[in-house]
Amino acid sequence: MKSTLNSLLLLVILLTTFACSNSDSPIGKWEDNIKLSKKTVQFSADSNSVIITTKGEWWWINNVSLDGSTTFDFGDIDTTKSNFVIEDTEFKIERKNTTEIHIEMTKNQTDAERVLRIGLEAGDYFDGITITQAAN
């Protein structure tokens, strides 16, 4: 009798678990909560800048790469703050407030295009900005 009751209870728990699952919303996959105004930007070879806005306010930069090199060291820069500056000799990324990213690139002196990638994260959602600068 006790064994039958335990089996019945286990069956009810399993049925409840499967009945309540939603296969359209996989666990661990978030919807876009950053909402970038632009994800790709084309620059000429001259010095250029762009302001990209977000609708979400709770995001941070998790990586920066220029031409595939991800050797940029954030050091003591806390990219979860509402304002910070990331500076390199070739680019500058500044978060002025919770919804604006100002990106500048110096003049491209080379005969090859440059590609700056900025990875953003908000919880379990990942997005990014790609800036392609023309060759000189």
Side-chain angles (χ1 to χ4, degrees):
M1 175 76 173
K2 189 172 185 175
S3 174
T4 305
L5 188 59
N6 285 342
S7 297
L8 185 60
L9 182 59
L10 180 61
L11 182 61
V12 169
I13 290 171
L14 287 173
L15 287 174
T16 304
T17 302
F18 288 116
C20 294
S21 70
N22 185 351
S23 61
D24 293 337
S25 300
I27 296 172
K29 298 204 181 219
W30 290 18
E31 292 184 19
D32 183 356
N33 53 6
I34 299 174
K35 296 183 176 46
L36 292 166
S37 61
K38 293 181 185 178
K39 294 184 182 193
T40 59
V41 178
Q42 299 287 325
F43 279 170
S44 69
D46 296 327
S47 290
N48 282 287
S49 65
V50 66
I51 297 172
I52 296 178
T53 60
T54 67
K55 289 189 179 173
E57 298 179 357
W58 181 73
W59 54 266
W60 58 92
I61 293 177
N62 64 9
N63 66 63
V64 174
S65 70
L66 182 63
D67 297 330
S69 173
T70 57
T71 58
F72 184 79
D73 179 21
F74 289 107
D76 293 333
I77 301 169
D78 182 357
T79 66
T80 63
K81 299 286 186 190
S82 60
N83 54 12
F84 60 82
V85 178
I86 298 171
E87 275 191 276
D88 190 71
T89 57
E90 308 294 329
F91 61 84
K92 178 179 175 184
I93 303 166
E94 183 172 6
R95 184 174 183 176
K96 297 259 186 178
N97 55 53
T98 57
T99 61
E100 287 184 355
I101 310 166
H102 295 233
I103 305 165
E104 299 175 20
M105 289 188 76
T106 61
K107 182 176 180 169
N108 186 354
Q109 304 283 352
T110 70
D111 59 355
E113 75 176 15
R114 298 192 299 189
V115 179
L116 177 66
R117 286 190 167 83
I118 304 164
L120 290 97
E121 181 177 350
D124 201 16
Y125 178 76
F126 299 85
D127 209 340
I129 301 165
T130 301
I131 298 184
T132 305
Q133 187 177 34
N136 191 15

